[in-house]
Amino acid sequence: MNRREFVSDSVAAFASASSIIPLGFSHTSREEGGTGLGRKLTLDAKPSPLALDTAKTAIIVVDMQNDFGTKGGMFDRAGIDISMIQSTVAPTARVLAAGRKANIRVVYLKMGYRPDLSDLGTTDSPNRRVHEQVMHVGTTMRAPNGTESRILVRDTWNTDIVNELSLPPVKIHC
């Protein structure tokens, strides 16, 4: 399976799952015998409710960045249909709003390379070849917001989380 098929199948699966889960929390109480920092919540989910402890729960948002899901980003510039990715933004925003209301941590995982592309792989690696030749990683471009940016390079418009899902960033580089 190539990356396009993988992304398409993954987005379709997420969109399908997101559309069948009602977004509502009910039944809150203090965690018994705990520190008082967590709360037990029940997510009205299918096929059955899901009990959560907010102190031990996080919502993880993966790759919802401009290069993958915004007009003018890397996928869009490469001719990849981003409509399926864009269709997951509103359901994801609802999940994030409900989670933030319940004081659940939100973690964003993004893909991006260093400005010198030293972490892209050796010059003969398939990863580097595909990313540079097909996806044009590192290429300077003018972002839709008017700023100068670079395709799939850290700390640029391209690797920023899509506007509808973002909060002010806390940057941690691994």
Side-chain angles (χ1 to χ4, degrees):
M1 174 181 289
N2 65 35
R3 183 171 175 91
R4 185 181 301 195
E5 291 167 336
F6 174 78
V7 168
S8 178
D9 290 352
S10 299
V11 169
F14 178 78
S16 173
S18 296
S19 65
I20 62 170
I21 299 174
L23 298 175
F25 291 106
S26 61
H27 171 257
T28 63
S29 63
R30 285 270 178 222
E31 180 179 6
E32 292 184 13
T35 63
L37 297 176
R39 291 187 320 155
K40 298 280 184 173
L41 300 177
T42 301
L43 176 63
D44 297 327
K46 301 288 182 192
S48 62
L50 179 64
L52 303 172
D53 177 348
T54 60
K56 298 177 183 177
T57 302
I59 298 169
I60 301 174
V61 181
V62 180
D63 288 347
M64 292 300 285
Q65 59 199 65
N66 290 324
D67 261 338
F68 302 144
T70 301
K71 189 91 172 134
M74 179 180 71
F75 279 6
D76 182 52
R77 294 167 64 93
I80 297 171
D81 180 6
I82 61 171
S83 63
M84 290 180 63
I85 296 167
Q86 290 178 326
S87 72
T88 67
V89 172
T92 302
R94 289 193 303 271
V95 168
L96 294 177
R100 288 184 182 118
K101 187 175 179 181
N103 294 317
I104 295 175
R105 289 177 198 91
V106 175
V107 177
Y108 295 93
L109 299 181
K110 304 189 299 182
M111 180 179 180
Y113 294 102
R114 292 183 181 132
D116 65 2
L117 304 180
S118 62
D119 53 347
L120 188 54
T122 61
T123 55
D124 61 342
S125 76
N127 183 64
R128 186 177 198 111
R129 185 177 38 79
V130 169
H131 277 90
E132 285 183 329
Q133 294 174 5
V134 177
M135 303 309 285
H136 306 288
V137 168
T139 300
T140 300
M141 57 166 281
R142 178 90 30 215
N145 67 4
T147 62
E148 187 173 288
S149 193
R150 290 181 65 205
I151 296 173
L152 212 55
V153 171
R154 291 180 183 178
D155 303 323
T156 65
W157 172 88
N158 294 72
T159 56
D160 285 346
I161 298 296
V162 298
N163 284 339
E164 298 86 350
L165 304 178
S166 65
L167 284 178
V170 175
K171 295 178 184 168
I172 301 173
H173 294 289
C174 301

